[in-house]
Each structure stands twice: as structure tokens, then as C-alpha cells.
Amino acid sequence: MDQDQIKKLHLEEGADPDSGALGQVINSVGIIFAIGILISAAILILEIFLRYVLNAPTIWAHETVIFLNASAFVFGGLYVVSRNSHIRVVLIYDYLSKPVRRHFDIAISLTSFLASVIFAWAAWQGVKRAIWTPAGDFRLETSGSAWNPPTPGLLKVFLLIILCLMAIQFLVLAVSYYKKKDS
């Protein structure tokens, strides 16, 4: 990367213009998950105090922290797509001319769209087992701990939603790149 590209990365705020309205919404929602990480840190500090100072540990702290951080991690994939900050092999990409780079962007977005659709289908297979009993009744999968929250089932549903949104976001990017003129 040259210095201009590095400066551009530090100045960028928000979603990539090519990601459209969906990207803007995703970028705006990201703060919620950032706050969730801060809340999880506060919960851990509280748990340490309760456990080691008052000798009164909770049964909910660890699973809540895991849920908040897992949610943020899952959302993070969609967030970087909206900002067009996902991983590329820049060793090759950065040396391409703009017209060739545009074709690579289209191909990368379409390939990522296909991968997201396949992963969403796989996530759906897990969601079916996580939200319905073998008899067909609705029941979210729980953790099986003393607190036993339905967070595993919720995370599986959340992952499916995020993968579907990610597929749509990659498609939006591909269309946007396709519509751009070679420059």
C-alpha cells in the first residue's frame, strides 16, 4: 500500500458508497455491537468483584458475556463487508489498473455472494434443529447450564440472518461495481 491509500483508510468514516443504503444501515447499527462489547467487559468486572470480594458469584455472567461477544463477532463480518474492508490479496490487487480492478471487484463480490448463500443454507440446517423439537414444536435450543438461557438458539438464528444480509450486501456491491464506468 502506498501512503495515499494508508491516509485514505485513516480518514474513512462509514460505509463504502458502493454498499448502498443497506451498507449505511449496517454501519450505523455497528455501534450497538461495540457497546455490547463494553457491556460484556463491565459484566466481567462485576463478576470478578462478586466472586472474589463478596464470594457471591453469579450464574449468568459468563454466558451473557459469551453471547454479547459472539453476537459482535458475527456482526463484524457483515460490518466489514459494508465498509468494503474485507480481506483481499493486495499483493496483486493493488497493482491492477482501475478497469481490471473493477472486474476483480465484480468477481470477488459475486464469489463472496455465492459463498454467503452456501453458508446461509448451512446455517439454516443448524437453525432448524435449534428452534424446533423433533416433534415440530417451537423451542429455542438452550445452553444446558444452571441458568440455561436460549442463547445458542438465538445465536444460530442471528448467524443465519447475518449471512443472508451479507449475501445481499455482496450482491449490492457487485451491481454497484458493474454499473461503474471504467476510469
Side-chain angles (χ1 to χ4, degrees):
M1 280 189 166
D2 63 19
Q3 291 295 31
D4 291 335
Q5 290 172 319
I6 293 171
K7 285 179 185 175
K8 183 183 172 202
L9 288 173
H10 289 292
L11 295 175
E12 282 183 18
E13 291 184 27
D16 187 305
D18 291 323
S19 66
L22 178 61
Q24 298 298 325
V25 171
I26 293 165
N27 189 68
S28 299
V29 171
I31 190 69
I32 294 169
F33 294 93
I35 291 169
I37 291 172
L38 293 175
I39 291 170
S40 72
I43 291 170
L44 284 177
I45 291 169
L46 174 66
E47 177 65 11
I48 290 168
F49 176 77
L50 291 173
R51 179 178 298 260
Y52 296 108
V53 175
L54 301 180
N55 197 25
T58 65
I59 62 170
W60 57 268
H62 294 290
E63 288 182 279
T64 303
V65 167
I66 290 168
F67 177 73
L68 289 172
N69 286 290
S71 299
F73 183 80
V74 169
F75 184 80
L78 180 60
Y79 184 77
V80 298
V81 171
S82 76
R83 297 173 69 92
N84 200 12
S85 301
H86 50 90
I87 297 173
R88 287 191 179 95
V89 181
V90 294
L91 181 66
I92 298 167
Y93 184 83
D94 286 349
Y95 292 102
L96 299 173
S97 67
K98 285 191 177 189
V100 173
R101 189 180 293 184
R102 178 179 156 261
H103 293 293
F104 266 69
D105 286 338
I106 294 167
I108 290 167
S109 296
L110 290 175
T111 303
S112 298
F113 163 75
L114 181 62
S116 298
V117 168
I118 291 168
F119 285 128
W121 177 81
W124 169 245
Q125 302 309 308
V127 166
K128 287 192 299 189
R129 291 186 300 277
I131 64 173
W132 288 293
T133 65
D137 298 327
F138 177 80
R139 183 185 54 87
L140 281 170
E141 178 182 357
T142 59
S143 67
S145 68
W147 184 38
N148 203 27
T151 53
L154 291 172
L155 277 173
K156 289 177 182 178
V157 171
F158 184 62
L159 177 62
L160 173 63
I161 293 166
I162 292 297
L163 285 167
C164 291
L165 288 172
M166 193 179 289
I168 294 166
Q169 183 64 81
F170 276 122
L171 200 56
V172 167
L173 285 169
V175 168
S176 180
Y177 295 138
Y178 179 76
K179 288 180 178 180
K180 275 187 173 180
K181 300 280 188 246
D182 289 339
S183 53

